[in-house]
Amino acid sequence: MKILVCISNVPDTTTKIKLSADGKTIDTAGIQWVINPWDELSLTRALELKDDPAAGVTLVTVAHVGTSSSEPTIRKALAIGADDAIRVNAEPADAYFVAAQIAAVLEKEKYDIILCGIESSDYNGSLTGGIIAEFLGIPSVSSVSSLRIENGKPVIVREIDGGKETLTLPVPFVAVVQKGIAKEPRIASMRGIMTARTKQIRVYEPVAVNPLTEIVMYEKPAPRAACKFISPDNPAELIHLLQNEAKVI
Amino acid sequence: MSVLVYTENWDGKFKKLSFELVSYSAAIAEMINTGVVALTIGQVEDEELKKLGNYGAKKVICVTGDSLKYLDNKIYTSIIAGIAEKENSKVIVFSNNNSGKAIAPGVAVRLKAGVAAAVNALPSSVEPFTIRKKVYSGNAFAHTVIKSEIKVLSLLQNSYDIKETANNAEIERVAWNVEPGMVKTEVLDVQKQTGKVLLTDAEIVVSGGRGMKSPDNWGPLVELAELLGGATACSRPVSDEGWRPHEEHTGQTGKIIAPNLYIAVGISGATQHLAGISSSKYIVAINIDKDAPIFEAAQYGIVGDAMKVLPKLVEAVRELKK
Ligand SMILES: Cc1cc2nc3c(=O)[nH]c(=O)nc-3n(C[C@H](O)[C@H](O)[C@H](O)COP(=O)(O)OP(=O)(O)OC[C@H]3O[C@@H](n4cnc5c(N)ncnc54)[C@H](O)[C@@H]3O)c2cc1C
C-alpha cells in the first residue's frame, strides 16, 4: 500500500498576523514557515503505519504545491521520515487550483491512500481533500480521527456531531484527517536530517487551471472592548453583569 | 434561479444551526432577487420541514432513499449537485461543520463553482461576488471574490442572526435511488454521546485549563456548566493529559466553537487556544495571573484562584435560579 501525504506550508501557529499597508497582502516579514499542523499529524500516522509490518505500507510520499521557496518545509517532511517528495512548481492560488495540481499528479503516479489535513491553518478552507477526490472520481472521508489497516483493509474512525462512526472503504480514497489521527507529531532525528538531503524531490510543472477565487483585501478583526475586572471576593457581581449587561445568561 | 441551502437533520430534527443557515440564505436570495430552496437528506416529518419556511425557505426538499442513512460523500454530493442543477441554484450554502466540510468541496467541483469556506458575513457585493471569510484561524478575515457563475459558501456557526418571517414553505419529497455498489463507505459501528449538551451546539461553555491543577478539581466547573445549561470544554494539555475527554478539546487543533458565552478557567490564552474560541460573543476569564493573555480576549475577568472563585460562582448562579 502506498500513501501520499499532502502538505501545506503555513506560518507558525503562534504568528501574530500583520497586514501590508494597503491591506492587500499579509506581511510575511519574519514569519517562520512550518508544515501545517494537521499535515504533520497525518505524516506521522502514515509513518507509524509504515513502521508496522502488518499494515503493509511500502511507501510514504509527501506532495506539495508551491515554489522552490517552500523546499525547506518539504525537506523537513523528508527529515521526519517521508521516503520521497513531489513538488508541483506553482504559487498555490486557491484550493481548487492546488487540488487540480495534486489530482493531475495522481493521474500519473498511483497511490492507495491520499491524506489531507482538515484545513490549512492559513486559509481555513477544508477543501483540498474533497476536491481532489471529486476530480479523480474516488471516494473520500472527512473528519477522520483514526486510520488503521487490518488484514489489508482500511479501518477509519470518522467524527460526527456528538459521536463517531467506524467505517471501511476500498482503496484508493482520500482521507481528510483531524485531531486524534496521531498523538504527537513525529520529530526529525539527526539521522533523518542527514538522509533528507539525499532523498528525491520530483518536481512537476503545473497543469493549466484557472483559480476560481481571489482574495482582494484582508482585514483584522475589530479589537474587543477592554476587559472589565471583577473582584474575586464578589463573583456574584460577574453573574449580575452577565445577566443584565451582556444578557447571555 | 434559486439559492440552495443544505440543511442537515439530526435524527429527523433541525437545530438552531439549521435556522441560522436558512436565515442567512434568505438574505443572500434577497440580494440576488430570488428565493431559497432548503434541502435535507433522510426521513423528516412535514411539521419539522415546515419550520424551515419560518426562516425564509420558499421550498423544502426532503430526499429519502435506502442507502442514505450514513453520510457517503459521493452519494450526498451527487444528490445536492443534482438538486442544485434542477433548481437552477446560483449560490449553494453549507454549514462549516463536519458534514459541510465533507460535502461542499465535491459539490463545488460538480457545479464548476468556486468556494468560499468559513464565511461570516453577507456578501459585500454580488457583482463581483465578494464575501468575507475567516483566515489565519480568526486572526484575520479575507474579502474573497468568487469568479465562477455558481458560488458555494460554507457559513461559520453562530455568525448570523436568526430571522423569523411567517412563511409557508412548499414541501417536496424526492425518492433517491442509489445504484447498488455506488455506496463506498461501509459503516461498521456508531458510537453516540447521549444526554449531554453538545459542545458545538452549546450557547454557554465553561472550559478548564491546566490552571485547574488536577482532574479531581473539575466538580464545581461541571456544576457551573450544568446550572447554566451549558457544556464543558478544556484546553489541549488538559485533554492530552487525559484529565478530560478528547471531545472537549477546543482550539485550533480541536473543536472550533462560537457560543454566546465562553468562560475560561485557568487557561492562559495561547494563540492556538484562542483560534478555537475567539468568535464567542462574550469571553470571561478566571485566572490567577493578571498578565495572562486570555484577559486581552475577554470582556469580563476575575483575577483569582479558580478553586476559590468557582464555588462562589456556583453559589451565585444557584441564587439566581431560585
Ligand atoms: C500546533 C499547535 C496546536 C495547538 N493547538 C491547541 C489547541 O487546539 N487548543 C489548546 O488549548 N492549545 C493548543 N496548543 C497548545 C497551546 O500553545 C498552549 O500550550 C495551551 O493552550 C495551554 O493550555 P492552558 O492554558 O490550559 O495551560 P497553561 O498555558 O499552562 O496555562 C495555565 C493557566 O492557568 C493559570 N492558573 C494557574 N493556577 C491557577 C489557579 N489556581 N487559578 C486560576 N488560574 C490558574 C495560569 O496563570 C495560566 O495562565 C497548540 C500548540 C501547538 C504548537
Side-chain angles (χ1 to χ4, degrees):
Chain A
M1 209 159 303
K2 296 202 266 176
I3 304 182
L4 185 73
V5 181
C6 301
I7 60 170
S8 170
N9 183 39
V10 298
D12 176 88
T13 51
T14 54
T15 308
K16 292 258 180 286
I17 297 299
K18 287 193 246 80
L19 309 184
S20 63
D22 63 2
K24 293 208 160 93
T25 52
I26 297 292
D27 178 2
T28 52
I31 286 184
Q32 281 260 25
W33 297 89
V34 298
I35 307 176
N36 182 41
W38 292 271
D39 304 346
E40 206 176 16
L41 288 174
S42 52
L43 173 60
T44 301
R45 184 59 192 151
L47 296 172
E48 286 169 1
L49 288 170
K50 196 181 163 219
D51 289 346
D52 173 9
V57 172
T58 53
L59 182 73
V60 174
T61 302
V62 290
H64 173 70
V65 177
T67 59
S68 57
S69 67
S70 44
E71 283 216 357
T73 295
I74 299 179
R75 288 281 170 215
K76 191 177 163 205
L78 292 171
I80 292 170
D83 295 305
D84 57 6
I86 292 166
R87 178 170 70 81
V88 180
N89 188 28
E91 234 5 286
D94 72 353
Y96 182 82
F97 177 88
V98 168
Q101 303 307 330
I102 305 265
V105 169
L106 284 164
E107 298 284 357
K108 297 195 193 96
E109 300 194 22
K110 296 293 167 214
Y111 286 85
D112 301 289
I113 301 178
I114 296 104
L115 298 179
C116 285
I118 186 85
E119 63 171 37
S120 67
S121 60
D122 49 3
Y123 294 112
N124 306 140
S126 309
L127 296 168
T128 308
I131 297 180
I132 293 173
E134 192 59 37
F135 273 139
L136 296 172
I138 62 175
S140 68
V141 193
S142 192
S143 306
V144 170
S145 63
S146 162
L147 166 64
R148 288 175 288 138
I149 297 169
E150 283 175 8
N151 307 319
K153 215 167 87 169
V155 178
I156 282 176
V157 176
R158 156 170 80 186
E159 301 292 313
I160 54 170
D161 293 352
K164 42 186 98 202
E165 291 168 351
T166 307
L167 53 89
T168 182
L169 76 171
V171 296
F173 64 84
V174 176
V176 178
V177 311
Q178 62 157 57
K179 172 191 160 64
I181 190 75
K183 215 166 162 7
E184 289 281 329
R186 196 174 275 197
I187 295 165
S189 65
M190 206 51 217
R191 197 171 150 268
I193 296 168
M194 300 299 285
T195 52
R197 290 195 205 137
T198 61
K199 287 179 179 169
Q200 194 201 8
I201 302 179
R202 295 190 290 288
V203 179
Y204 282 88
E205 285 311 313
V207 292
V209 178
N210 288 326
L212 299 177
T213 62
E214 185 189 348
I215 294 177
V216 287
M217 184 68 81
Y218 289 94
E219 177 193 337
K220 292 284 289 177
R224 286 184 181 256
C227 185
K228 223 180 227 184
F229 285 97
I230 295 120
S231 156
D233 302 319
N234 191 15
E237 172 67 12
L238 173 64
I239 301 301
H240 176 80
L241 288 169
L242 292 176
Q243 191 186 20
N244 301 303
E245 192 176 77
K247 300 191 169 59
V248 285
I249 60 173
Chain B
M1 208 165 84
S2 68
V3 170
L4 181 70
V5 54
Y6 173 63
T7 43
E8 175 178 9
N9 67 80
W10 293 264
D11 297 322
K13 295 280 180 257
F14 296 117
K15 293 185 189 177
K16 189 182 154 209
L17 163 74
S18 330
F19 308 138
E20 181 187 1
L21 280 170
V22 178
S23 302
Y24 176 78
S25 306
I28 294 189
E30 210 179 298
M31 291 176 81
I32 60 169
N33 297 316
T34 183
V36 174
V37 177
L39 164 65
T40 196
I41 301 175
Q43 192 52 52
V44 183
E45 302 288 332
D46 277 7
E47 202 186 324
E48 190 71 13
L49 294 173
K50 286 245 180 251
K51 284 187 188 166
L52 299 182
N54 298 338
Y55 301 91
K58 293 258 180 322
K59 176 150 105 178
V60 182
I61 302 177
C62 180
V63 173
T64 46
D66 283 345
S67 317
L68 306 178
K69 182 160 185 232
Y70 299 110
L71 170 64
D72 179 284
N73 292 357
K74 270 189 119 166
I75 306 288
Y76 275 47
T77 295
S78 7
I79 295 176
I80 299 169
I83 301 276
E85 275 166 1
K86 203 172 127 260
E87 297 293 330
N88 190 17
S89 308
K90 296 296 174 221
V91 181
I92 297 102
V93 180
F94 291 89
S95 168
N96 190 236
N97 67 355
N98 283 330
S99 61
K101 286 176 182 172
I103 322 164
V107 170
V109 174
R110 291 278 176 103
L111 301 172
K112 300 193 172 54
V115 195
V119 299
N120 62 0
L122 287 171
S124 56
S125 137
V126 289
E127 200 50 63
F129 194 92
T130 313
I131 196 154
R132 191 178 75 179
K133 73 175 291 299
K134 178 179 88 163
V135 288
Y136 297 97
S137 306
N139 284 309
F141 301 129
H143 296 267
T144 303
V145 172
I146 307 182
K147 303 187 222 175
S148 49
E149 192 206 339
I150 299 175
K151 286 96 183 161
V152 169
L153 308 175
S154 71
L155 179 68
L156 282 177
Q157 205 169 328
N158 219 359
S159 61
Y160 190 76
D161 287 333
I162 290 178
K163 283 195 192 74
E164 278 209 62
T165 49
N167 176 29
N168 227 336
E170 169 200 342
I171 291 176
E172 186 181 320
R173 293 193 174 270
V174 177
W176 201 274
N177 287 322
V178 179
E179 279 171 43
M182 280 302 286
V183 180
K184 299 294 182 202
T185 45
E186 182 194 344
V187 174
L188 309 168
D189 180 49
V190 183
Q191 273 179 295
K192 274 202 179 156
Q193 134 192 5
T194 47
K196 274 206 286 178
V197 182
L198 288 188
L199 183 49
T200 41
D201 294 342
E203 313 243 1
I204 298 178
V205 172
V206 188
S207 185
R210 207 142 51 179
M212 291 291 291
K213 298 280 159 57
S214 139
D216 306 330
N217 293 339
W218 245 264
L221 189 151
V222 173
E223 197 177 352
L224 182 62
E226 278 170 2
L227 282 168
L228 292 170
T232 48
C234 68
S235 68
R236 182 165 107 172
V238 165
S239 68
D240 281 353
E241 291 290 331
W243 292 3
R244 297 295 298 171
H246 278 287
E247 303 86 77
E248 289 195 358
H249 163 194
T250 42
Q252 179 150 40
T253 45
K255 288 213 167 65
I256 295 168
I257 55 172
N260 288 335
L261 173 61
Y262 183 80
I263 306 181
V265 189
I267 293 176
S268 59
T271 337
Q272 297 97 345
H273 186 80
L274 296 179
I277 60 134
S278 60
S279 303
S280 308
K281 293 236 161 69
Y282 284 89
I283 296 174
V284 171
I286 300 168
N287 198 302
I288 206 158
D289 171 11
K290 69 171 187 3
D291 296 323
I294 187 76
F295 288 121
E296 283 161 36
Q299 288 80 62
Y300 299 105
I302 297 183
V303 179
D305 183 348
M307 296 313 122
K308 298 202 179 96
V309 175
L310 276 175
K312 287 189 199 157
L313 277 178
V314 167
E315 211 38 59
V317 177
R318 272 218 199 96
E319 275 303 309
L320 178 79
K321 300 270 156 175
K322 262 185 194 160

